Amino acid sequence: MKRVMYFASALVLLVAPAVYSQMPAGQKIGLATSLQRNYAGIKANFTGAAEKMPEADYSMPEARTYGQLIAHIAQAQFGQCAALTGVPNPMAGKNLEQELKTKAELTKALADSFAICDKAFAEVTDANATEMVKAGQNEQTRAASLYGVIVHGNEIAGTAYAYLRTKGIVPPSTERAQGAMRGRGQQ
């Protein structure tokens, strides 16, 4: 588990400069914009990773199958983002890791969870980012809840990317970073 955490932390440190290097210089980036940009990055990375893995490899016999990783992030996002948007969690009482089996089912659940999170991230503003929201039995700032979505997504993405690499598949964040470097004249 420590290796996964180190890998995920390194991944964040590598991906963040690529995301921010594409922004115009001299911009003031508020809390809401920061949240929205980080969320857009994990959404693009995870959606790309879910699509890249062949269906046959969604059930690799690792600690969690690749499919279970996708189901896990979808399940977590349904819960976290439904609470933030004030809608009922459509997956409450379900265990997606056990119930969903095919790539099509899993990528649909992931897309559906991102649709709920899209709303949660679109609604954040610098003014409401520090408002207190329910988080289980407690309350925390909206920003803390949204960063929780991003951090958890990055942790699971680190594991998913390791699975992709064992199959010789380049993760989507690496592809984008390489494309950005080529776009600046570097080969």
Side-chain angles (χ1 to χ4, degrees):
M1 187 63 172
K2 281 185 179 181
R3 286 184 185 163
V4 170
M5 294 300 295
Y6 292 135
F7 181 76
S9 297
L11 183 67
V12 170
L13 292 174
L14 293 173
V15 172
V19 170
Y20 287 106
S21 68
Q22 297 174 8
M23 289 186 261
Q27 265 190 333
K28 287 189 178 182
I29 300 164
L31 189 54
T33 301
S34 174
L35 283 163
Q36 291 160 347
R37 287 182 178 172
N38 277 281
Y39 170 71
I42 191 61
K43 178 182 177 183
N45 291 342
F46 232 108
T47 300
E51 291 297 328
K52 287 176 84 72
M53 184 64 82
E55 170 118 20
D57 294 321
Y58 259 67
S59 58
M60 292 185 288
E62 282 75 13
R64 264 189 176 137
T65 68
Y66 191 78
Q68 287 172 324
L69 286 175
I70 301 300
H72 175 78
I73 198 68
Q75 184 102 44
Q77 289 184 164
F78 276 120
Q80 292 168 303
C81 294
L84 283 164
T85 58
V87 301
N89 177 352
M91 298 300 160
K94 295 186 178 189
N95 183 340
L96 300 185
E97 287 187 45
Q98 299 303 313
E99 295 175 28
L100 303 181
K101 303 296 180 195
T102 68
K103 179 178 179 175
E105 291 173 327
L106 290 154
T107 56
K108 181 178 182 337
L110 182 65
D112 291 348
S113 74
F114 275 121
I116 293 174
C117 287
D118 287 350
K119 186 174 190 285
F121 279 88
E123 291 176 348
V124 68
T125 65
D126 289 337
N128 73 10
T130 57
E131 288 177 0
M132 299 303 281
V133 297
K134 285 293 277 176
Q137 301 280 332
N138 303 309
E139 289 186 20
Q140 63 185 16
T141 65
R142 181 179 312 278
S145 289
L146 291 169
Y147 270 119
V149 172
I150 295 166
V151 168
H152 183 246
N154 276 320
E155 289 172 2
I156 302 303
T159 303
Y161 289 4
Y163 286 22
L164 287 172
R165 289 196 182 276
T166 65
K167 299 296 179 182
I169 301 170
V170 177
S173 58
T174 302
E175 282 183 338
R176 277 193 304 283
Q178 290 170 343
M181 289 191 318
R182 281 192 290 275
R184 291 190 298 244
Q186 299 175 352
Q187 298 294 332

